[in-house]
Amino acid sequence: MSHTKHFLEELRVLQESFDQVTAAMSELNTTLNRMLDKEDQDDEVEVAPKRDIQADKEAVRGMLAKQASKGLTKEVKELLKKFGAEKLSDVDPKDYEDFYYSAESLDK
Protein backbone atom coordinates (compact mmCIF):
# COMPACT_ATOMS: atom_id res chain seq x y z
CA MET A 1 0.00 0.00 0.00
CA SER A 2 1.34 3.39 -0.86
CA HIS A 3 2.02 5.96 1.79
CA THR A 4 -0.80 8.16 0.52
CA LYS A 5 -3.39 5.38 0.69
CA HIS A 6 -2.17 4.42 4.14
CA PHE A 7 -2.38 8.06 5.25
CA LEU A 8 -5.92 8.39 3.84
CA GLU A 9 -6.99 5.18 5.60
CA GLU A 10 -5.59 6.50 8.91
CA LEU A 11 -7.47 9.78 8.37
CA ARG A 12 -10.73 7.86 7.77
CA VAL A 13 -10.23 5.84 11.00
CA LEU A 14 -9.46 9.07 12.85
CA GLN A 15 -12.63 10.68 11.43
CA GLU A 16 -14.72 7.71 12.61
CA SER A 17 -13.20 8.05 16.08
CA PHE A 18 -14.04 11.76 16.16
CA ASP A 19 -17.61 10.96 15.08
CA GLN A 20 -17.93 8.43 17.92
CA VAL A 21 -16.56 10.91 20.45
CA THR A 22 -18.96 13.57 19.17
CA ALA A 23 -21.92 11.18 19.50
CA ALA A 24 -20.87 10.19 23.02
CA MET A 25 -20.51 13.84 24.02
CA SER A 26 -23.96 14.57 22.62
CA GLU A 27 -25.48 11.70 24.65
CA LEU A 28 -23.65 12.90 27.76
CA ASN A 29 -24.94 16.44 27.22
CA THR A 30 -28.51 15.15 26.83
CA THR A 31 -28.19 13.09 30.03
CA LEU A 32 -26.76 16.03 31.97
CA ASN A 33 -29.57 18.31 30.76
CA ARG A 34 -32.17 15.75 31.91
CA MET A 35 -30.48 15.53 35.31
CA LEU A 36 -30.43 19.32 35.66
CA ASP A 37 -34.09 19.52 34.66
CA LYS A 38 -34.93 16.90 37.30
CA GLU A 39 -32.99 18.86 39.95
CA ASP A 40 -34.91 22.00 38.99
CA GLN A 41 -38.18 20.10 39.35
CA ASP A 42 -37.08 18.73 42.73
CA ASP A 43 -36.23 22.27 43.86
CA GLU A 44 -39.75 23.37 42.94
CA VAL A 45 -41.38 20.86 45.30
CA GLU A 46 -43.54 22.80 47.70
CA VAL A 47 -42.45 22.81 51.29
CA ALA A 48 -45.28 22.18 53.71
CA PRO A 49 -46.28 25.37 55.49
CA LYS A 50 -45.15 25.68 59.07
CA ARG A 51 -47.86 24.47 61.40
CA ASP A 52 -49.50 26.83 63.85
CA ILE A 53 -48.92 25.07 67.17
CA GLN A 54 -51.46 27.18 69.04
CA ALA A 55 -54.17 26.45 66.45
CA ASP A 56 -53.32 22.73 66.59
CA LYS A 57 -53.52 22.79 70.38
CA GLU A 58 -56.93 24.48 70.24
CA ALA A 59 -58.18 21.87 67.76
CA VAL A 60 -56.98 19.08 70.06
CA ARG A 61 -58.55 20.81 73.06
CA GLY A 62 -61.86 21.04 71.18
CA MET A 63 -61.73 17.36 70.25
CA LEU A 64 -60.98 16.39 73.87
CA ALA A 65 -63.89 18.49 75.11
CA LYS A 66 -66.19 16.90 72.54
CA GLN A 67 -65.16 13.39 73.58
CA ALA A 68 -65.44 14.23 77.30
CA SER A 69 -68.95 15.58 76.73
CA LYS A 70 -69.83 12.18 75.26
CA GLY A 71 -68.85 10.58 78.56
CA LEU A 72 -65.40 9.46 77.44
CA THR A 73 -63.48 11.29 80.19
CA LYS A 74 -61.77 8.10 81.36
CA GLU A 75 -60.66 7.30 77.81
CA VAL A 76 -59.35 10.86 77.35
CA LYS A 77 -57.26 10.53 80.52
CA GLU A 78 -55.90 7.18 79.33
CA LEU A 79 -55.01 8.74 75.99
CA LEU A 80 -53.15 11.54 77.74
CA LYS A 81 -51.15 8.93 79.67
CA LYS A 82 -50.44 7.06 76.44
CA PHE A 83 -48.80 10.24 75.16
CA GLY A 84 -46.86 10.62 78.42
CA ALA A 85 -48.91 13.54 79.74
CA GLU A 86 -51.14 14.39 82.65
CA LYS A 87 -52.76 17.30 80.83
CA LEU A 88 -52.84 18.68 77.30
CA SER A 89 -50.09 21.22 77.94
CA ASP A 90 -47.76 18.27 78.70
CA VAL A 91 -48.26 16.75 75.24
CA ASP A 92 -45.37 17.41 72.85
CA PRO A 93 -46.60 19.76 70.07
CA LYS A 94 -45.13 17.45 67.41
CA ASP A 95 -47.63 14.82 68.61
CA TYR A 96 -50.72 17.04 68.33
CA GLU A 97 -51.79 15.60 64.99
CA ASP A 98 -51.54 11.98 66.16
CA PHE A 99 -53.13 12.92 69.47
CA TYR A 100 -56.05 14.62 67.69
CA TYR A 101 -56.81 11.59 65.51
CA SER A 102 -56.42 9.23 68.45
CA ALA A 103 -58.89 11.32 70.43
CA GLU A 104 -61.24 11.45 67.48
CA SER A 105 -61.30 7.65 67.26
CA LEU A 106 -62.14 7.13 70.95
CA ASP A 107 -65.87 6.79 70.32
CA LYS A 108 -65.55 4.32 67.48
Side-chain angles (χ1 to χ4, degrees):
M1 190 186 300
S2 72
H3 288 287
T4 306
K5 285 185 180 180
H6 181 70
F7 179 73
L8 288 174
E9 180 63 26
E10 291 296 320
L11 281 177
R12 186 187 64 72
V13 169
L14 189 58
Q15 180 63 46
E16 287 176 6
S17 297
F18 281 135
D19 290 344
Q20 290 174 349
V21 168
T22 302
M25 289 177 64
S26 178
E27 288 179 33
L28 179 60
N29 193 26
T30 300
T31 301
L32 289 173
N33 283 333
R34 271 190 258 141
M35 289 172 65
L36 289 173
D37 287 345
K38 176 148 178 44
E39 284 179 8
D40 288 345
Q41 290 172 356
D42 290 346
D43 289 344
E44 293 173 8
V45 172
E46 289 185 28
V47 176
K50 192 170 182 177
R51 296 191 64 116
D52 181 355
I53 293 174
Q54 189 59 36
D56 289 351
K57 186 175 186 177
E58 292 304 315
V60 171
R61 186 182 315 278
M63 178 53 68
L64 293 178
K66 177 181 171 186
Q67 299 299 50
S69 71
K70 291 180 180 179
L72 299 171
T73 305
K74 179 181 171 192
E75 289 84 352
V76 167
K77 287 181 181 181
E78 288 173 4
L79 184 60
L80 282 164
K81 287 180 183 175
K82 179 180 171 187
F83 280 84
E86 291 293 318
K87 54 189 176 187
L88 180 57
S89 60
D90 296 336
V91 175
D92 189 338
K94 69 177 177 59
D95 293 330
Y96 284 165
E97 185 175 5
D98 290 338
F99 190 83
Y100 178 90
Y101 289 116
S102 295
E104 185 179 47
S105 67
L106 286 176
D107 61 348
K108 295 181 181 172

